[in-house]
Amino acid sequence: MDPIMMKILDSSMVSVCREMGITLMQTSYSTIFNEALDFSCAIANTDGDMIACAEFCPAQIGGMPLMAKSIIKEIPLDDIYEGDVLLHNDPYRGGLHTPEHTFFKPIFCEGELRGFAVSIGHIAEVGGMVPGGFPGEATEIFHEGLRLPPIKIVKRGVMNDDVWKIILANVRTPRYNYGDLRALISAVDLGVAQMTRLYNKYGANLVDQTSKDLMDYSERRMRAEIEKIPDGIYAFEDLVEDDGIEDRQYKIAVEVHKTGSDVIADYTGSSSQAKGPINATLGVTMSATYNAMLHMTDPDIPKNSGCFRPIKVIAPPTTVVNVDFPAPEVGGNTETHPRIAGTVIGALAGVIPHLAMAAEGCTHGNFVFGGVHAASKEFFACYDIEVVGWGGRSFADGNDACDSINGNCRVTPVEVFEVRYPWRVKEWAFREDSGGPGKFRGGVGYTKTLECLNDEIIISQMTDRHKTYPWGLKGGLPGDNGATLFKQGGKGNWKNAVQLYGKASPSKYSNISIKKGDLVSLVMPAGGGYGDPKDRSHKAVKQDVAEGYVSINAAKNIYGL
Amino acid sequence: MKFSGNGLYVEKYVKCMNCGVLIYETDLPKSVDAGDGKLYCGKWCLNWAASRAERKSKESA
């Protein structure tokens, strides 16, 4: 192993991935890409192992290898040609959920297939029963949009028009989908071009060998981190509050078996799969487990499949952590993933408390909507990501209003949101006292109140934490939960979807018709606290009060000021 | 994974009963059929339940 070459190549490939991301961001049409950055770019080898990625979404990074391996099993390597672009989004074949579309473009050097440039992006509108892709009341995969098995969307550099026609005929926003899909393809086009330069510069054998060395290095680094954790079996459970169909809770249960430099995360004991769309695919459960371990180990370890090798995941079929066809699953990647990651963190918190964090809000809000623009008469659809407070840690407060642990996405700025969509943002403010009290308090959530300016907007949502609370650690108190509230015509009392529209769940619903003048308030949950609130420094409490994070009442009664 | 005869669609997503990974035809030689429709991706998964019980017993001892 040549450590200098390894570092040069790793840095170069990470830069390629970053460039791919910038290309995707700048050429995409939808705010989910160009504002929220809900995508990832990576380089994979011909075994489907990820050899490099950049600072994108942990959910997609962890799930990518399984998707790659699946596509390689179904489209043989000797049936892949220069200029092809492969695509699939099948959640049951290693995918994360229906909106996540993964593109693979082969990298050839010296006439041989060497690997793939990969882009994964969350397409906001995928057909199905609601505009925006998150039907909170889905009961089968066919409600959730168009499912694509591994196919070639471009063949030897020529667009496969038949595939494009089928995809674009089955979505509400074909113009936007076309633009976004082309952006994802442009990212892998650039990835292939840049990787080809690297191969030509250093030679194929050196690049391939160094990539293997890099994965072995990451494995060694991860094993060294795992060795620091005491051997043992550590259990933890958390709940998803309902599935949008039935008012019952679903358990995520993990036993983390740590032996030497190996970790086995066994989710046997988790609930059977749900009727509604909270089920996680195997790809989600694997990526959530990796995500948790990456959070509790050295962040400088190069992120590739090597660092996942010491981590084994057991997710029995037909459970909420490994859904079987044709049960719905769209919420698993955004709502259940954070729960799964949280159980691993919670399990290990007892033995590595300095590396753990109290529960975060564990939701992306998943507020989706669609309608016809009054002026342009064109259909619009949007997946609006909302963010949450993170849990307090042994050394710091939780992040305030940050994307949940599986994403690394941004909120859409008000200015862009109001120009693109017929809403007015009446309020967007941190919530005082929402962060779980602790020596290190939980990060706060926020309230975002919208007024509908269109004759009609159809909204749906797939979120959680309206009934359950983000747990605290080491004596820290739970963070506040969230809500979605409505005022018809802007008048009267705030009511939730159950009270006003007769839905089964306040946090998961489909196709509510919002009229001009109606208000929708998205209240986002906060993070749990870490440590006894009475141990929080008075200076910190006073600063919290001065900045509006904590009320004077709470400062006196909870923090003991 | 059980594909239709014409290869155009999936008839059944076949998974390991323990870890849940998909088992394709190319994986069958390594897999273990425990009967009663229970297929495991390999011996490690077939033996995991017993191994887990032993680990927990040692842990509590």
Side-chain angles (χ1 to χ4, degrees):
Chain A
M1 183 190 86
D2 177 348
I4 294 172
M5 189 63 223
M6 196 175 67
K7 185 63 186 167
I8 290 170
L9 190 63
D10 183 44
S11 301
S12 300
M13 289 194 292
V14 170
S15 291
V16 170
C17 295
R18 286 183 185 139
E19 271 191 86
M20 290 167 70
I22 291 168
T23 299
L24 209 174
M25 182 180 86
Q26 293 186 336
T27 57
S28 58
Y29 283 24
S30 299
T31 51
I32 188 70
F33 292 128
N34 47 45
E35 295 295 338
L37 309 183
D38 193 353
F39 59 77
S40 295
C41 301
I43 307 296
N45 65 15
T46 53
D47 292 328
D49 292 321
M50 184 176 68
I51 53 176
C53 66
E55 305 79 9
F56 296 116
C57 296
Q60 294 159 344
I61 289 167
M64 194 282 285
L66 200 61
M67 286 187 265
K69 289 178 194 299
S70 174
I71 214 167
I72 287 164
K73 282 191 188 275
E74 296 193 32
I75 301 180
L77 294 180
D78 56 14
D79 195 26
I80 297 175
Y81 305 100
E82 206 156 349
D84 285 350
V85 177
L86 286 62
L87 160 65
H88 97 84
N89 76 339
D90 189 342
Y92 307 108
R93 281 158 148 123
L96 301 173
H97 60 173
T98 330
E100 226 78 81
H101 288 60
T102 308
F103 293 78
F104 301 82
K105 185 168 184 182
I107 302 163
F108 281 83
C109 179
E110 297 168 6
E112 257 190 69
L113 177 60
R114 298 288 173 177
F116 297 91
V118 185
S119 64
I120 309 170
H122 183 116
I123 301 286
E125 165 53 32
V126 289
M129 71 189 272
V130 308
F134 272 102
E137 295 171 81
T139 53
E140 55 181 14
I141 187 69
F142 307 104
H143 292 160
E144 295 180 333
L146 191 64
R147 191 164 54 107
L148 301 165
I151 54 170
K152 291 186 185 182
I153 192 167
V154 179
K155 286 184 172 180
R156 301 199 208 218
V158 179
M159 302 259 279
N160 188 347
D161 282 354
D162 291 345
V163 168
W164 284 95
K165 285 176 183 174
I166 291 171
I167 292 173
L168 298 176
N170 283 283
V171 296
R172 296 172 178 84
T173 55
R175 186 170 71 86
Y176 284 87
N177 283 59
Y178 179 70
D180 292 335
L181 291 168
R182 288 297 303 271
L184 283 154
I185 292 171
S186 72
V188 294
D189 284 344
L190 181 131
V192 167
Q194 294 292 58
M195 283 302 297
T196 303
R197 284 197 188 94
L198 274 182
Y199 271 105
N200 289 339
K201 182 174 180 179
Y202 295 111
N205 288 340
L206 182 63
V207 172
D208 287 348
Q209 183 56 52
T210 308
S211 299
K212 286 188 185 136
D213 291 343
L214 187 54
M215 285 196 286
D216 290 344
Y217 172 71
S218 289
E219 180 185 356
R220 284 200 300 279
R221 291 277 306 271
M222 179 57 83
R223 288 192 180 280
E225 289 290 294
I226 291 171
E227 287 270 10
K228 295 176 191 172
I229 303 171
D231 282 0
I233 302 172
Y234 309 105
F236 198 87
E237 291 180 4
D238 201 350
L239 298 166
V240 178
E241 65 192 21
D242 63 45
D243 70 345
I245 307 299
E246 294 179 311
D247 185 13
R248 56 163 282 214
Q249 294 175 329
Y250 293 85
K251 182 171 68 174
I252 311 294
V254 73
E255 263 180 16
V256 177
H257 293 244
K258 169 29 240 279
T259 311
S261 64
D262 288 291
V263 162
I264 300 169
D266 185 348
Y267 295 94
T268 306
S270 299
S271 292
S272 297
Q273 65 189 36
K275 287 183 185 170
I278 58 148
N279 300 301
T281 65
L282 178 62
V284 168
T285 301
M286 289 174 84
S287 76
T289 308
Y290 301 152
N291 191 4
M293 293 305 299
L294 288 173
H295 268 84
M296 293 187 291
T297 51
D298 188 342
D300 289 335
I301 299 174
K303 309 290 182 291
N304 54 53
S305 286
C307 55
F308 302 151
R309 286 178 190 157
I311 305 162
K312 182 150 180 75
V313 173
I314 293 169
T318 327
T319 62
V320 76
V321 293
N322 190 352
V323 63
D324 276 351
F325 173 86
E329 46 67 54
V330 72
N333 192 35
T334 61
E335 309 306 291
T336 314
H337 175 132
R339 284 295 192 300
I340 296 169
T343 57
V344 175
I345 293 172
L348 295 175
V351 286
I352 44 170
H354 56 294
L355 297 172
M357 138 180 113
E360 45 116 347
C362 286
T363 176
H364 283 255
N366 296 334
F367 180 64
V368 299
F369 54 84
V372 178
H373 262 297
S376 68
K377 307 297 179 207
E378 186 180 19
F379 199 92
F380 61 89
C382 175
Y383 166 27
D384 185 44
I385 286 180
E386 307 296 339
V387 299
V388 297
W390 280 44
R393 299 156 279 179
S394 64
F395 57 93
D397 295 342
N399 299 327
D400 299 311
C402 189
D403 196 23
S404 193
I405 198 171
N406 53 313
N408 192 14
C409 302
R410 305 188 307 199
V411 291
T412 299
V414 174
E415 296 83 352
V416 173
F417 191 75
E418 288 186 340
V419 164
R420 293 288 297 263
Y421 308 108
W423 293 103
R424 178 175 294 126
V425 181
K426 306 271 286 181
E427 174 197 21
W428 200 353
F430 283 161
R431 296 167 54 214
E432 186 181 66
D433 287 338
S434 59
K439 180 179 179 185
F440 295 101
R441 66 164 172 76
V444 296
Y446 61 63
T447 299
K448 184 166 154 187
T449 302
L450 309 172
E451 178 186 357
C452 176
L453 302 179
N454 217 38
D455 288 339
E456 183 183 45
I457 300 178
I458 303 295
I459 70 168
S460 305
Q461 196 169 18
M462 173 73 224
T463 184
D464 207 83
R465 286 273 197 243
H466 288 194
K467 303 177 198 170
T468 58
Y469 293 81
W471 37 266
L473 266 182
K474 302 288 179 192
L477 300 181
D480 201 8
N481 61 2
T484 301
L485 303 168
F486 306 88
K487 266 191 192 177
Q488 287 182 323
K491 300 185 176 92
N493 296 326
W494 288 108
K495 292 184 181 176
N496 65 28
V498 175
Q499 294 160 334
L500 194 55
Y501 298 103
K503 296 295 184 180
S505 164
S507 57
K508 302 165 188 70
Y509 53 83
S510 296
N511 293 326
I512 286 179
S513 172
I514 298 295
K515 305 284 193 241
K516 187 179 281 188
D518 288 353
L519 299 180
V520 181
S521 189
L522 305 169
V523 182
M524 298 309 295
Y530 189 107
D532 188 338
K534 296 281 192 292
D535 292 337
R536 188 169 177 77
S537 82
H538 284 190
K539 182 180 172 190
V541 179
K542 285 176 187 169
Q543 191 165 347
D544 284 340
V545 172
E547 293 181 351
Y549 291 107
V550 170
S551 65
I552 293 174
N553 261 348
K556 288 178 183 169
N557 298 328
I558 299 176
Y559 289 99
L561 197 66
Chain B
M1 289 286 274
K2 189 170 183 310
F3 284 90
S4 61
N6 56 21
L8 291 177
Y9 58 92
V10 174
E11 287 187 351
K12 190 173 181 191
Y13 292 86
V14 177
K15 295 182 177 178
C16 171
M17 287 301 299
N18 182 53
C19 71
V21 295
L22 278 176
I23 299 177
Y24 284 81
E25 279 198 19
T26 49
D27 302 315
L28 284 175
K30 287 183 298 186
S31 67
V32 178
D33 188 341
D36 279 337
K38 291 182 182 173
L39 192 62
Y40 294 87
C41 64
K43 285 183 183 163
W44 190 95
C45 274
L46 175 70
N47 297 329
W48 169 244
S51 174
R52 180 179 58 212
E54 190 184 333
R55 284 171 181 237
K56 286 166 98 164
S57 158
K58 279 184 191 163
E59 178 89 350
S60 40

